[in-house]
């Protein structure tokens, strides 16, 4: 009987100190849908660049930060489960590859990142499809 009491005591004590493996923590990141540009783009110097889309998270959003080397930047607190964004700038005057980066934090502190590449390239006038070629024939007036 004494052994039974010890066993019951140990079971009760073990149940008191047991913790559950279940958790209500949110390990999911926000979903980012960039609608413009849909992928990497190539533009001419000075062209307008728009960076836009929608962010969603079932538990809630906290912040949005956009950094770039093309003049688009934003840092804002956001809330709710959906946020639409749209930012514009002019492409740099110098040819090269540039990036637009976005970081979104949801209400649980989980980070989502997204990036687009913008290539700035001056158009080659010799490759234009609008070019007209004119051939001038000079008559040979040699006697």
């Amino acid at each position: 009987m004494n052994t039974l009491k010890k066993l019951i005591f140990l079971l009760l004590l073990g149940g008191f100190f047991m913790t559950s493996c279940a958790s209500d923590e949110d390990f999911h990141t926000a979903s980012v849908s960039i609608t413009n540009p849909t992928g990497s783009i190539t533009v001419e110097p000075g062209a307008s660049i728009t960076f836009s889309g929608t962010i969603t998270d079932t538990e809630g959003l906290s912040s949005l930060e956009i950094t770039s080397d093309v003049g688009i930047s934003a840092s804002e607190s956001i809330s709710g489960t959906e946020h639409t964004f749209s930012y514009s700038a002019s492409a740099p005057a110098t040819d090269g590859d540039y990036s637009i980066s976005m970081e979104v934090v949801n209400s649980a502190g989980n980070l989502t990142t997204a990036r687009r590449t913008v290539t700035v390239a001056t158009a080659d006038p010799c490759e234009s499809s609008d070019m007209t070629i004119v051939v001038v024939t000079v008559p040979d007036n040699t006697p």
Side-chain angles (χ1 to χ4, degrees):
M1 185 75 171
N2 201 14
T3 307
L4 183 59
K5 285 183 183 179
K6 285 181 185 178
L7 183 58
I8 292 173
F9 175 74
L10 289 174
L11 286 173
L12 290 174
L13 185 62
F16 179 74
F17 287 106
M18 284 180 61
T19 58
S20 171
C21 292
S23 174
D24 289 338
E25 287 190 59
D26 176 7
F27 295 104
H28 296 92
T29 58
S31 173
V32 177
S33 172
I34 299 173
T35 55
N36 193 29
T38 56
S40 296
I41 59 170
T42 300
V43 297
E44 290 192 27
S48 179
I49 301 168
T50 300
F51 185 65
S52 59
T54 304
I55 308 161
T56 57
D57 188 277
T58 57
E59 299 299 317
L61 298 164
S62 178
S63 66
L64 159 71
E65 184 161 348
I66 298 174
T67 57
S68 74
D69 42 13
V70 295
I72 297 174
S73 65
S75 182
E76 58 184 279
S77 294
I78 54 178
S79 60
T81 58
E82 183 173 306
H83 179 75
T84 301
F85 62 92
S86 183
Y87 302 96
S88 295
S90 294
T94 306
D95 288 4
D97 290 332
Y98 300 87
S99 65
I100 305 171
S101 299
M102 173 183 204
E103 292 185 346
V104 176
V105 178
N106 68 8
S107 58
N110 301 319
L111 176 68
T112 303
T113 59
R115 168 180 254 150
R116 288 292 189 263
T117 300
V118 176
T119 300
V120 176
T122 304
D124 183 352
C126 294
E127 292 181 10
S128 173
S129 61
D130 298 338
M131 187 173 13
T132 303
I133 298 175
V134 177
V135 177
V136 178
T137 306
V138 178
D140 186 9
N141 293 332
T142 7

